[in-house]
């Protein structure tokens, strides 16, 4: 029967341990875990011998059907989530992006309308704060209390960036609501000046993109965001950490006691800024995103090491895909190239290749950085992000012995370019189970439009610092290799009594 499933003989990987349990699934939920399970007749059995059984990937950073810089990203909620499922991701979190001055609630409903009937897997929404005033504050409260939102993204760059005083108020509001603040950390004022200067000098091609936003401009903003958030005790999540300097700034802020998490992108872990020098405009512009990929070729491994050390906790794709023809908007002026790259489909394979296959992280840490940590930070753990009785049956049966070669010619995304073109990856999802339904079956994609649901992300109790309580907090277990977590991570775990 469609709604009953038994997965046998696999190595079940959670963020804290690997076990050899069988998994019985009924009506979209994991009902039993163990050996020699007693199950009803007529249940479909999948043999996972020799394979890993992982919690489905959670990609906490996508922009489907997003109107940005004069273009609309081509992967919509159907194509985008279908591609996600094909690659082993069973939940995405997209960003509601209100137009400057638009009501947050109206924008939220626009995004629900784009997503609800189209998603092939579950999804949730962050909300961007593209301007700041009293109305925004009120709407943030309504979004938290009535619409299942617990995270807001602020921008320190682009023409909708907030100034330091506005950031302070936005963080303070998040803190009081029990929400988490996400930050796009780049110094927008410096970038604007650099762009002006470069264009005046005749630097108009994609190489100008990275030159205008060097890594210290990213690191400065990370540092400033951390300092501002610390004043009001707001938990912070730095999206798309793209450089060594930014990673180190974040790590140092953590060591000073800032409650901050870091997300890096699959793009940053597997490609670099050398592509901006490529002679073909489509190729170089195809790699333009912000913050940019870095010319320092040691950056990808450095960021993977930060993930291994728990100085970064999460990986996303920032999938925001524009076709070659759309990238041509910036043919004469690099600052007009629509910003964004692919990654929602390939994130799991590419991180497995660059992280596990190289030996930098183990399969448990892979699960932590591709699924469990995002679920914890956005407060949907253990419904999502783990294989346990009662959890949603979002599961990937992963074959580490098989390989595939990434190409725009064969990917499932709508976009006509792939920044991982030609990359060979170990690790192929042989089965992908989404809410109990087999949506990749022996490698065949059978995603179903509208099968996913909107998932509420509840707020946390507003954090109150109490040195007495720190000792009581249950540490987040974090992979077989590391039982002694850095204290900052323990302190950040919110336990409601
Ligand atoms: O270049 C990027 N990152 N495009 C998407 C928008 C954003 O800032 O995340
Ligand atoms: Zn951003
Ligand atoms: Zn080319
Ligand atoms: Zn983004």
């Amino acid at each position: 029967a469609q709604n009953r499933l038994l997965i046998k003989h696999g190595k079940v990987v959670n963020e804290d341990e690997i076990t050899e349990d069988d998994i019985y699934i009924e009506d979209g939920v994991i009902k039993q875990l163990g050996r020699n399970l007693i199950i009803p007749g007529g249940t479909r059995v999948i043999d996972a011998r020799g394979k890993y059984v992982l919690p489905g990937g959670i990609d906490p950073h996508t922009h489907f059907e997003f109107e940005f810089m004069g273009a609309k990203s081509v992967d919509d909620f159907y194509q985008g989530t279908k591609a996600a499922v094909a690659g082993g991701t069973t939940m995405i979190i997209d960003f509601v992006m209100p137009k400057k001055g638009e009501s947050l609630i109206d924008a939220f409903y626009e995004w629900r309308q784009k997503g609800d009937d189209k998603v092939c897997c579950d999804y949730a929404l962050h909300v961007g704060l593209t301007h700041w005033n009293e109305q925004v504050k009120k709407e943030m409260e309504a979004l938290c209390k009535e619409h299942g939102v617990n995270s807001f993204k602020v921008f320190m760059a682009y023409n909708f960036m907030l100034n330091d005083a506005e950031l302070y108020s936005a963080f303070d509001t998040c803190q009081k609501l029990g929400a988490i603040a996400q930050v796009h950390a780049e110094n927008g004022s410096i970038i604007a000046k650099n762009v002006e200067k470069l264009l005046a000098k005749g630097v108009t091609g994609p190489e100008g993109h990275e030159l205008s936003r060097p890594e210290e401009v990213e690191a400065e903003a990370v540092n400033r965001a951390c300092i501002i958030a610390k004043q009001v005790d707001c938990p912070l999540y730095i999206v798309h950490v793209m450089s060594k300097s930014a990673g180190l700034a974040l790590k140092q802020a953590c060591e000073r006691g800032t409650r901050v998490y870091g997300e890096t992108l699959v793009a940053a872990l597997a490609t670099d800024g050398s592509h901006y020098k490529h002679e073909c405009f489509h190729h170089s512009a195809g790699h333009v995103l912000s913050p940019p990929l870095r010319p320092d070729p040691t950056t990808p491994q450095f960021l993977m090491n930060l993930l291994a050390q728990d100085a970064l906790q999460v990986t996303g794709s920032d999938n925001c895909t524009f076709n070659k023809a759309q990238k041509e908007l910036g043919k004469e002026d690099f600052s007009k190239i629509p910003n964004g790259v692919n990654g929602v489909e390939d994130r799991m394979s590419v991180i497995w290749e660059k992280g596990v296959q190289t030996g930098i992280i183990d399969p448990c840490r892979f699960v932590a950085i591709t699924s469990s940590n995002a679920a914890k930070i956005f407060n949907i753990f253990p419904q999502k992000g783990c294989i346990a009785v009662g959890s949603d049956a979002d599961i990937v049966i992963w074959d580490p012995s098989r390989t595939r070669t990434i190409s725009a010619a064969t990917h499932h995304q709508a976009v006509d370019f792939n920044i991982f073109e030609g990359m060979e990856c170990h690790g192929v999802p042989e089965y992908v189970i989404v809410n109990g339904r087999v949506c990749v079956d022996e490698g065949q994609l059978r995603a179903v439009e509208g099968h996913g649901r909107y998932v509420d992300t509840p707020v946390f109790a507003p954090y109150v610092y109490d040195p007495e309580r720190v000792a009581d907090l249950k540490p987040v277990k974090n992979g077989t290799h590391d039982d002694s977590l850095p204290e900052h991570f323990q302190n950040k775990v919110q336990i409601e009594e």
Side-chain angles (χ1 to χ4, degrees), residues 14 57 83 153 273 408:
N14 275 305
K153 180 178 177 186

Side-chain angles (χ1 to χ4, degrees), residues 379-484:
N379 208 10
I380 45 175
F381 190 89
Q383 181 194 343
K384 302 288 188 189
C386 79
I387 295 179
V389 172
S391 296
D392 287 354
D394 286 349
I395 293 173
V396 179
I397 300 178
W398 191 258
D399 187 346
S401 68
R402 279 179 47 217
T403 62
R404 68 183 187 97
T405 303
I406 297 175
S407 175
T410 49
H411 71 202
H412 299 86
Q413 304 202 217
V415 68
D416 60 3
F417 187 76
N418 192 312
I419 57 168
F420 308 113
E421 187 73 37
M423 219 182 114
E424 192 185 59
C425 292
H426 293 78
V428 172
E430 188 170 292
Y431 298 89
V432 180
I433 295 149
V434 183
N435 284 325
R437 179 195 273 264
V438 184
C439 289
V440 172
D441 197 338
E442 289 182 39
Q444 294 302 304
L445 180 60
R446 305 200 197 291
V448 179
E449 186 166 7
H451 177 56
R453 305 159 301 186
Y454 174 75
V455 175
D456 281 333
T457 55
V459 292
F460 289 99
Y463 175 85
V464 182
Y465 181 70
D466 175 359
E468 297 285 300
R469 256 188 70 194
V470 172
D472 298 340
L473 296 178
K474 236 200 304 175
V476 181
K477 281 205 222 152
N478 178 41
T480 47
H481 60 284
D482 182 13
D483 293 328
S484 57

Side-chain angles (χ1 to χ4, degrees), residues 61 63 153 155 158 184 239-240 290-291 318:
H61 195 151
H63 302 275
K153 180 178 177 186
F155 296 82
Y158 298 135
H184 178 123
V239 295
H240 47 49
S290 293
D318 200 358

